[in-house]
């Protein structure tokens, strides 16, 4: 699945605005997706505006394929997902969320997947959407449901990026429950050494700290460091009591 992002194709159908095309290129590049098709172009696009808006992602447009019809952009794909916020009998029986879309994509072992976006003003037509395998809708507020084209592309590409990155190794080793228990026990013991408890409420205090440490999702390294800090505090208190502690300048 390492090459999944290389198998994702963004398809823009009849885009009008060159600024939007440039912003789409930037949105794609930030998520590691670089395969762009433009179907049913509305005319000649201003390459200067595209380059300005794409920043360092202009190569995506330079390598983009421009085709006369949507079918030319998706005929070689194994799955094509049209994006739309409108529903209806002529616009597929089922609408998928972006997360559901990613689950489906992750099941595909080979072949190109196209995500299709419509014109900035009216989106995909019923006919264009009917050419797609399924429809995906990004939830938005009823008060202002319309998304800018590049924002919609960014959201969909982000979900794909996150889905493909989940299996990457992360530098986080969570502390085990036994580690948290040891940390809580040592903390209570160190608090006892410095005379914190006038009456014994150590068990309740241990549960209190244990719950906090568990909710904090401490790493193994963090639990070890906290244990050392608490032990050092108790050690300093002992030295002060014996007159052996000298504060460093």
């Amino acid at each position: 699945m390492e090459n999944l992002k290389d198998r994702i194709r963004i398809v823009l159908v009849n885009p009008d605005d060159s600024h939007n095309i440039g912003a789409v290129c930037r949105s794609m590049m930030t998520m590691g997706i670089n395969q762009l098709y433009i179907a049913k172009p509305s005319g000649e696009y201003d390459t200067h505006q595209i380059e300005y808006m794409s920043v360092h992602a202009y190569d995506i447009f330079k390598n983009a394929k421009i085709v006369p019809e949507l079918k030319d952009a998706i005929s070689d794909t194994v799955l094509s997902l049209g994006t739309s916020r409108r529903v209806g009998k002529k616009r597929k029986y089922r609408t998928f969320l972006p997360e559901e879309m990613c689950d489906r994509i992750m099941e595909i072992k080979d072949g190109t997947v196209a995500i299709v976006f419509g014109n900035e003003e009216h989106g995909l037509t019923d006919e264009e959407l009917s050419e797609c395998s399924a429809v995906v809708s990004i939830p938005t507020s009823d008060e202002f449901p319309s998304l800018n084209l590049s924002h919609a592309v960014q959201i969909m590409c982000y979900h794909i990026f996150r889905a493909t990155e989940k299996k990457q190794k992360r530098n986080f080793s969570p502390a085990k429950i036994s580690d948290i228990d040891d940390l809580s026990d040592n903390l209570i013991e160190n608090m006892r050494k410095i005379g914190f408890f006038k009456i014994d409420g150590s068990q309740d205090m241990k549960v209190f700290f244990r719950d906090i440490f568990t909710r904090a999702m401490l790493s193994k390294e963090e639990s070890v460091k906290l244990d050392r800090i608490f032990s050092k505090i108790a050690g300093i208190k002992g030295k002060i009591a014996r007159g052996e502690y000298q504060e460093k300048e």
Side-chain angles (χ1 to χ4, degrees), residues 75-128:
S75 61
D76 63 334
T77 65
V78 296
L79 183 68
S80 57
L81 299 162
T83 57
S84 176
R85 65 180 176 83
R86 302 194 302 275
V87 296
K89 290 190 299 182
K90 297 182 179 180
R91 303 184 71 80
K92 305 294 184 187
Y93 293 100
R94 167 77 191 279
T95 298
F96 292 90
L97 293 170
E99 300 92 326
E100 295 173 314
M101 167 203 73
C102 287
D103 289 341
R104 179 69 182 91
I105 291 174
M106 293 298 286
E107 295 172 357
I108 298 171
K109 305 301 181 183
D110 193 26
T112 301
V113 174
I115 305 177
V116 183
F117 298 84
N119 175 271
E120 294 95 325
E121 183 177 352
H122 52 70
L124 292 172
T125 65
D126 290 347
E127 181 181 355
E128 291 164 349

Side-chain angles (χ1 to χ4, degrees), residues 27 31 33 102 152-164:
S27 297
M31 297 295 117
I33 296 172
C102 287
V153 172
Q154 182 80 71
I155 291 170
M156 300 298 278
C157 289
Y158 169 78
H159 278 283
I160 294 168
F161 179 81
R162 291 290 294 139
T164 57

Side-chain angles (χ1 to χ4, degrees), residues 33-211:
I33 296 172
N34 54 31
Q35 190 178 156
L36 175 65
Y37 274 59
I38 298 176
K40 301 169 67 173
S42 60
E44 292 292 326
Y45 296 112
D46 188 327
T47 56
H48 295 293
Q49 290 183 3
I50 295 173
E51 184 172 12
Y52 174 77
M53 290 300 296
S54 62
V55 190
H56 299 297
Y58 185 58
D59 280 348
I60 289 181
F61 175 74
K62 288 199 298 184
N63 296 322
K65 289 183 170 55
I66 299 179
V67 294
E69 299 294 336
L70 173 57
K71 64 181 180 180
D72 301 313
I74 62 176
S75 61
D76 63 334
T77 65
V78 296
L79 183 68
S80 57
L81 299 162
T83 57
S84 176
R85 65 180 176 83
R86 302 194 302 275
V87 296
K89 290 190 299 182
K90 297 182 179 180
R91 303 184 71 80
K92 305 294 184 187
Y93 293 100
R94 167 77 191 279
T95 298
F96 292 90
L97 293 170
E99 300 92 326
E100 295 173 314
M101 167 203 73
C102 287
D103 289 341
R104 179 69 182 91
I105 291 174
M106 293 298 286
E107 295 172 357
I108 298 171
K109 305 301 181 183
D110 193 26
T112 301
V113 174
I115 305 177
V116 183
F117 298 84
N119 175 271
E120 294 95 325
E121 183 177 352
H122 52 70
L124 292 172
T125 65
D126 290 347
E127 181 181 355
E128 291 164 349
L129 200 61
S130 69
E131 295 186 52
C132 299
S133 310
V135 59
V136 181
S137 182
I138 302 171
T140 53
S141 168
D142 291 337
E143 295 178 4
F144 191 60
S146 180
L147 279 171
N148 176 273
L149 174 61
S150 64
H151 295 171
V153 172
Q154 182 80 71
I155 291 170
M156 300 298 278
C157 289
Y158 169 78
H159 278 283
I160 294 168
F161 179 81
R162 291 290 294 139
T164 57
E165 295 296 305
K166 282 181 181 178
K167 293 185 179 180
Q168 282 195 354
K169 184 178 179 181
R170 297 176 183 176
N171 296 322
F172 178 75
S173 178
K176 298 177 182 177
I177 293 297
S178 58
D179 297 325
I180 298 300
D181 283 336
D182 290 342
L183 173 61
S184 302
D185 285 336
N186 292 342
L187 172 56
I188 294 302
E189 181 59 30
N190 288 319
M191 293 175 70
R192 185 177 287 111
K193 287 179 181 179
I194 64 175
F196 180 86
F197 298 107
K198 299 301 182 183
I199 56 175
D200 191 18
S202 59
Q203 187 58 37
D204 289 341
M205 188 66 73
K206 176 188 172 181
V207 173
F208 173 72
F209 280 117
R210 184 182 184 277
D211 289 348

